[in-house]
Amino acid sequence: MINKPVKEKKVAIKVMDMVAGYEDDVILNHINFEVYEGEIFVILGGSGCGKTTLLKHLIGLNRPMDGNIIISGIDITDNKGDNLQQVLRECGILFQSGALFSSMTVAENVALPIQEHTDLPASSIGNIVKMKLAQVSLTGYENHLPSEISGGMRKRAGLARAMALNPKILFFDEPSAGLDPVTSAELDQLIIRLNRSYGTTMVIVTHELPSIFSVAHRVIMLDKRVKKIIAEGSPQYLRDNSQNPFVRQFFNREIESEL
Amino acid sequence: MTILNNNLTNLYSFSQESPDKLTIHFKDRLDVSNASPLTKEFNTLLRTHKPDSLVIDLDKLIYLDDYGVSVLVGLKKAMGNRRGNFSLANISEQVNEILTMHRFNELGQQPTSVLKTSQNFFTNLGSSTFNIGSEVRFMLMFLGDTCFSLLTFLRHPGSLRFNDTVENMKRVGLDALPIVGLISFLLGLIMAFMSSVQLQQFGANIYVASLVSISMTRELGPIMTAIIVAGRSGSSFAAEIGTMKISEEVDALSTMNINPNFFLVLPRMFAAFLVMPVLTLFSDLFAIAGGLLVGVTMLDLTVSGYTNQTINSLTLFDVFWGVFKSGIFAILISWTGCLKGFQVRGGAAGVGKATTSAVVTSIFLIVMSDSLLVVILRYWNG
């Protein structure tokens, strides 16, 4: 109480000794890390290292085999879903392909969580949906169906839906996958802007290097051979100073045999 | 005079300087967590006080988000509706930034409902007419494609996907056998039981055998089998091809210079065409067995008596006629299922619609063609 530093970072997500996998197949073995409030935190690693698996555990789609996940001070792994529901209300998730409901228009997709979780009148919901879509530059596409807009737009619409309830934590599964460099850079800017203006904690799973260098405050890197976190820190630091050859390779886009 | 509200006191207070001027002072946060109670609160507030001018004091506001902005927009609109004045006071730089970012000034003016725009009757009528037109066109094109695929098959029989055909035969035929068998058996049982009640009065128990066998082989066997196959396989063809369509697998086939129709439709149609007659024969047999059970246990008939009567009353033509019909049904069901699959647009909802439509259309076509065949047969025989 006395010796604590004045400006302590608050922990948003804490993963303690977690073991994750499918049936007998362990993918992540006893991993520990923390995500602080307001930071952009990137989970990266080569294909098949368990990035998406880790994300699925963080948002409660899968339950860990062992260990605990604590989000906003609530342990989502301890009982049967009550805590998880409470935590999920403060989380937004952007899925890889947007996961928009194909039978609803863009505006209806964004409005859905607002209608379900608040009792605002329809005109207020309409206003909020407009503001959300304006934030992701989709004004004018309210009445389009997801099948009628491009992949990048679908992703932005998915982001608008993920942000619908102004979550404290936003999770992104490969936000730049399948986008052209310009669109992808725009999405990065959007992520940075939202992080600044709302102080939203962001957890991003990706392996797009340019994106990592432009948005990430801190990264962890997973490796499928050891099934653990092999590096943690800012991407610039890891690129230049990491002792682990695999980490340097990854950040410098080198092929393994070249070492 | 300052009146404090009991529930949301730490979020706002209001003061009424003169009877027609109301000022609302916001404090602390105006965000997602309190937007909906505040909206309700202000509705009643405006209704009870009926001010001509409303001033929003944002001096002590610490945090504002888009939900808060929507509360302010709601107030602005409500004042606009009663032709009153609305103004914001003490806007800090940060608040102003958020208001600008969300285009507060534009928001109240345009119609806000972006959800569920209802179109007028004529627009709907026009668009459905166009839809029907394009659907018919697509159907004809698909029919042409199928005929073309058939011609390709006749010229190069070896190019048919043999393994796919066998796999589909298993799925359409073998996997359906238990349910076809059970339903036919019960149907035979019910028919025998119901008719025996009547026939017993005339001492005509033995004719139960004729009734069950003739009605099953000529009509009910093929129809029941067709309806089951439409429900099981017609729907699965539509769902499978529909999903392939929306995940661009069909496009992938086209780009590999493989005719999707030849690749996907022909194996399914052949499979259905080959196994449905066999399923129908099984259906006939199971129904006769059902009738036999009732005949032997309840009507004092012997097994040999029942089977003899069945054989005597059936002609080879009856059996062939049923089998012939089931072949036609097979083509209709599998073709409709594939057609509906290829028509899928959009996403998951489209697949659902196509599946429903495949089953409904198939059953309609089955009954329709059956009636036609009955009429044709009647006049053909004179």
Side-chain angles (χ1 to χ4, degrees):
Chain A
M1 187 178 166
I2 309 155
N3 294 328
K4 274 185 182 170
V6 185
K7 215 182 166 188
E8 196 192 355
K9 289 181 196 164
K10 279 192 192 161
V11 175
I13 303 173
K14 191 178 170 83
V15 173
M16 298 192 306
D17 219 15
M18 189 187 77
V19 181
Y22 301 98
E23 274 139 39
D24 294 332
D25 194 12
V26 172
I27 294 172
L28 298 165
N29 207 354
H30 294 286
I31 59 166
N32 292 284
F33 66 90
E34 287 175 348
V35 181
Y36 302 112
E37 276 185 10
E39 82 174 338
I40 302 182
F41 183 84
V42 172
I43 300 167
L44 54 89
S47 299
C49 68
K51 297 189 296 280
T52 304
T53 308
L54 176 56
L55 188 74
K56 281 187 177 168
H57 282 79
L58 290 180
I59 57 182
L61 286 177
N62 294 355
R63 284 174 79 81
M65 293 165 152
D66 196 10
N68 300 80
I69 300 167
I70 295 162
I71 297 181
S72 305
I74 298 168
D75 190 341
I76 63 165
T77 48
D78 71 341
N79 62 12
K80 287 202 179 93
D82 292 352
N83 286 350
L84 182 64
Q85 288 306 317
Q86 201 182 331
V87 168
L88 280 182
R89 225 163 281 167
E90 300 188 343
C91 294
I93 296 127
L94 172 61
F95 291 94
Q96 209 175 95
S97 53
L100 296 173
F101 302 114
S102 58
S103 57
M104 300 181 188
T105 63
V106 170
E108 286 170 338
N109 263 289
V110 179
L112 180 71
I114 311 177
Q115 287 166 335
E116 291 295 311
H117 293 298
T118 69
D119 43 6
L120 286 168
S123 65
S124 299
I125 295 181
N127 278 327
I128 294 168
V129 168
K130 274 201 163 158
M131 287 187 264
K132 294 291 177 201
L133 289 176
Q135 281 175 46
V136 296
S137 319
L138 279 179
T139 306
Y141 291 94
E142 285 87 356
N143 292 320
H144 284 62
L145 287 172
S147 53
E148 297 165 347
I149 57 177
S150 75
M153 287 160 112
R154 238 173 275 163
K155 210 159 261 190
R156 280 184 278 148
L159 180 56
R161 189 180 70 183
M163 297 189 317
L165 293 166
N166 288 351
K168 291 191 178 131
I169 307 172
L170 265 176
F171 294 93
F172 296 81
D173 189 9
E174 312 238 352
S176 20
L179 299 184
D180 67 83
V182 178
T183 316
S184 164
E186 279 169 8
L187 191 69
D188 289 346
Q189 288 311 310
L190 183 62
I191 290 171
I192 295 171
R193 206 177 72 218
L194 293 171
N195 173 262
R196 285 213 188 115
S197 45
Y198 292 108
T200 315
T201 310
M202 311 222 169
V203 177
I204 304 175
V205 165
T206 187
H207 46 227
E208 298 275 324
L209 279 179
S211 182
I212 293 165
F213 283 117
S214 71
V215 303
H217 296 153
R218 215 156 53 85
V219 306
I220 56 170
M221 185 162 174
L222 305 172
D223 185 17
K224 70 175 162 193
R225 282 165 287 196
V226 293
K227 297 174 179 171
K228 276 187 189 302
I229 297 170
I230 52 168
E232 184 170 348
S234 86
Q236 288 80 3
Y237 178 82
L238 291 180
R239 175 186 58 192
D240 303 330
N241 305 314
S242 176
Q243 300 300 309
N244 189 326
F246 180 70
V247 176
R248 281 203 313 277
Q249 245 172 35
F250 187 93
F251 281 106
N252 294 308
R253 292 190 74 174
E254 284 162 359
I255 310 170
E256 205 157 359
S257 57
E258 283 177 2
L259 280 177
Chain B
M1 172 179 76
T2 303
I3 310 155
L4 286 178
N5 184 283
N6 294 328
N7 303 325
L8 303 154
T9 34
N10 26 8
L11 296 171
Y12 85 101
S13 61
F14 64 91
S15 54
Q16 198 160 21
E17 287 87 18
S18 62
D20 52 1
K21 187 184 175 193
L22 190 71
T23 309
I24 298 180
H25 310 273
F26 279 104
K27 293 188 258 179
D28 199 18
R29 302 169 72 86
L30 179 54
D31 64 5
V32 58
S33 61
N34 52 37
S36 51
L38 282 178
T39 307
K40 278 188 202 145
E41 189 89 3
F42 292 143
N43 278 341
T44 43
L45 192 72
L46 289 184
R47 228 179 293 133
T48 49
H49 290 263
K50 298 194 173 64
D52 284 338
S53 118
L54 179 68
V55 178
I56 306 290
D57 175 15
L58 300 171
D59 191 27
K60 291 184 181 138
L61 192 68
I62 300 168
Y63 184 86
L64 177 72
D65 70 1
D66 39 9
Y67 280 76
V69 174
S70 92
V71 173
L72 297 180
V73 171
L75 285 172
K76 185 166 88 169
K77 243 186 113 182
M79 287 310 289
N81 287 344
R82 59 175 73 222
R83 300 178 191 285
N85 293 321
F86 174 88
S87 58
L88 299 175
N90 298 325
I91 307 173
S92 71
E93 204 170 303
Q94 289 156 304
V95 168
N96 191 32
E97 197 178 310
I98 288 172
L99 289 177
T100 331
M101 186 168 102
H102 294 306
R103 304 200 182 101
F104 176 71
N105 292 329
E106 295 166 33
L107 268 175
Q109 288 150 11
Q110 32 191 274
T112 43
S113 179
V114 290
L115 311 173
K116 289 268 177 265
T117 48
S118 59
Q119 282 164 339
N120 76 33
F121 171 75
F122 291 104
T123 322
N124 284 335
L125 184 72
S127 77
S128 11
T129 312
F130 272 114
N131 282 345
I132 291 172
S134 67
E135 227 165 82
V136 169
R137 229 178 68 137
F138 186 88
M139 205 187 79
L140 291 175
M141 272 163 57
F142 191 76
L143 184 64
D145 260 352
T146 314
C147 293
F148 181 75
S149 303
L150 203 62
L151 282 179
T152 319
F153 166 72
L154 291 176
R155 283 175 60 197
H156 315 280
S159 57
L160 183 76
R161 304 269 304 172
F162 183 72
N163 288 342
D164 278 4
T165 313
V166 173
E167 173 63 28
N168 276 306
M169 282 169 74
K170 179 180 168 290
R171 276 164 47 190
V172 178
L174 190 61
D175 296 352
L177 194 56
I179 185 71
V180 168
L182 178 69
I183 288 183
S184 304
F185 182 80
L186 291 177
L187 200 65
L189 205 108
I190 294 163
M191 268 202 303
F193 184 73
M194 295 303 287
S195 56
S196 70
V197 176
Q198 301 296 323
L199 291 173
Q200 243 173 349
Q201 295 175 9
F202 307 101
N205 282 352
I206 192 69
Y207 289 109
V208 166
S210 311
L211 190 139
V212 170
S213 56
I214 293 178
S215 56
M216 275 312 285
T217 48
R218 288 184 70 125
E219 280 299 326
L220 287 174
I223 286 201
M224 281 313 293
T225 314
I227 289 177
I228 294 169
V229 170
R232 282 186 81 257
S233 305
S235 59
S236 106
F237 292 167
E240 190 181 352
I241 295 178
T243 311
M244 290 179 78
K245 184 93 194 292
I246 55 174
S247 54
E248 296 178 322
E249 289 174 43
V250 173
D251 295 343
L253 282 174
S254 308
T255 55
M256 285 186 263
N257 205 11
I258 297 170
N259 181 353
N261 198 299
F262 188 84
F263 187 88
L264 295 171
V265 179
L266 272 205
R268 286 172 173 75
M269 284 182 71
F270 274 126
F273 183 69
L274 290 175
V275 294
M276 263 206 30
V278 183
L279 269 185
T280 304
L281 285 178
F282 271 105
S283 160
D284 297 346
L285 280 178
F286 277 104
I288 290 167
L292 181 71
L293 185 70
V294 171
V296 172
T297 55
M298 298 175 66
L299 304 175
D300 300 328
L301 297 172
T302 59
V303 175
S304 64
Y306 190 96
T307 40
N308 276 337
Q309 178 66 25
T310 301
I311 291 165
N312 287 337
S313 49
L314 278 182
T315 61
L316 201 57
F317 179 78
D318 291 330
V319 179
F320 273 132
W321 183 242
V323 166
F324 167 72
K325 282 206 293 197
S326 75
I328 291 181
F329 296 158
I331 292 172
L332 289 173
I333 293 166
S334 53
W335 189 75
T336 315
C338 295
L339 169 73
K340 296 294 172 185
F342 272 98
Q343 277 176 339
V344 167
R345 275 209 200 95
V351 177
K353 268 188 219 156
T355 313
T356 309
S357 169
V359 176
V360 174
T361 315
S362 299
I363 290 176
F364 171 75
L365 288 176
I366 290 164
V367 176
M368 180 86 171
S369 59
D370 190 52
S371 331
L372 267 177
L373 286 169
V374 168
V375 174
I376 290 171
L377 186 69
R378 174 76 184 71
Y379 284 98
W380 191 17
N381 284 352

